[in-house]
Each structure stands twice: as C-alpha cells, then as structure tokens.
C-alpha cells in the first residue's frame, strides 16, 4: 500500500512542474524570504515602518466608523488599534521609504474627516518582537 504522505509529496512536485526543492528555496530568496521563512520587508517595498498616534475630533459614530473602515483598508497599514485615552488610535504602517511615508500621511491620512493630529514615531532599534 503506498504511503499517502509520500504520494502527496510526489503529486505536489508534479503540480509545480517538477521543480526541485533548491529551485523553490532560490525563488523564496529572490522574493525576500530568508532561509528561516521570514520575509525581509525591504525586499517587498516595506523597509520603513512607522508608528503613528492619531487623534480625531469627530464625535459622531458615522465619521468614526468611516475613519476606521478607510484606514483599515489602506495597504500600508499593518496594524490599527483604537486606544483608551490618548491617542485615540495607534496605526503601524510599512512603506518603502520616507518619501512614500510622506505621500501616505499627506495624501491619505491627514485629509480624512475628523483627523485632528498625527504624531509619527520611527523605531531606532527593535529589541523584541512577537
């Protein structure tokens, strides 16, 4: 009786066009994934990560919900939290560089209805992450 896992492995290789595992590794490396399975943010155009405090002046539920829906939908936003106290929101974005970040803040974030103030924080050194 054939080994199901072994057969599945053969089938997976056939589905990929008989590429070797080494070819897969090389493709991942070119795409910015290192040998530990971690994606290099710079390799995918996300080399600059910025933490943003956002305060809003809106008090009506419709404006607040629209703000949250809009910001959550931005590709640059990788984390978005509503906070107790100040600031009202914490937004973590990942972009290619400072010019791209400026475009994000100027072109998308500060023009939204209800945005009162933003404050940007750049990480000097990441000491601990998930």
């Amino acid at each position: 009786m054939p080994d199901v896992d072994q057969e599945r492995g053969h089938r997976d290789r056939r589905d990929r066009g008989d590429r070797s595992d080494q070819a897969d590794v090389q493709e991942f490396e070119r795409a910015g994934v290192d040998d530990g399975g971690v994606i290099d943010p710079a390799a995918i155009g996300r080399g600059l990560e910025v933490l943003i405090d956002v305060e809003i002046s809106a008090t009506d539920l419709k404006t607040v919900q629209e703000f949250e829906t809009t910001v959550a939908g931005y590709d640059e936003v990788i984390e978005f939290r509503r906070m107790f106290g100040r600031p009202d929101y914490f937004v973590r974005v990942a972009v290619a560089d400072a010019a791209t970040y400026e475009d994000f803040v100027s072109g998308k974030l500060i023009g939204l209805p209800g945005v009162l103030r933003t404050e940007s924080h750049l990480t000097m050194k990441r000491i601990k992450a998930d």
Side-chain angles (χ1 to χ4, degrees):
M1 179 177 230
D3 183 313
V4 174
D5 289 330
Q6 186 178 14
E7 176 59 28
R8 188 175 297 130
H10 290 301
R11 189 172 42 245
D12 289 344
R13 281 202 177 93
R14 284 192 304 267
D15 292 344
R16 292 186 314 222
D18 291 328
R19 294 184 333 177
S20 70
D21 290 338
Q22 182 61 33
D24 289 343
V25 170
Q26 290 171 344
E27 183 177 332
F28 284 134
E29 288 172 347
R30 282 192 299 277
V33 179
D34 73 13
D35 60 355
V38 178
I39 296 174
D40 175 9
I44 59 171
R46 301 288 181 116
L48 179 65
E49 189 174 294
V50 183
L51 311 174
I52 311 167
D53 295 341
V54 180
E55 290 186 22
I56 62 172
S57 60
T59 56
D60 64 289
L61 185 58
K62 182 178 185 243
T63 303
V64 169
Q65 288 174 332
E66 287 174 356
F67 170 79
E68 290 178 357
T69 301
T70 301
V71 174
Y74 290 146
D75 288 336
E76 299 89 345
V77 174
I78 57 176
E79 185 176 351
F80 184 35
R81 300 177 184 209
R82 186 188 308 178
M83 309 299 287
F84 285 106
R86 284 184 153 167
D88 298 310
Y89 293 92
F90 168 85
V91 183
R92 186 165 63 126
V93 300
V95 294
D97 52 31
T100 308
Y101 176 68
E102 180 184 4
D103 290 344
F104 171 77
V105 172
S106 300
K108 292 183 175 180
L109 190 60
I110 62 175
L112 292 175
V115 172
L116 178 65
R117 184 181 76 77
T118 64
E119 184 173 340
S120 302
H121 305 276
L122 295 172
T123 300
M124 180 184 301
K125 176 182 176 183
R126 180 176 280 191
I127 298 166
K128 181 178 179 180
D130 298 337

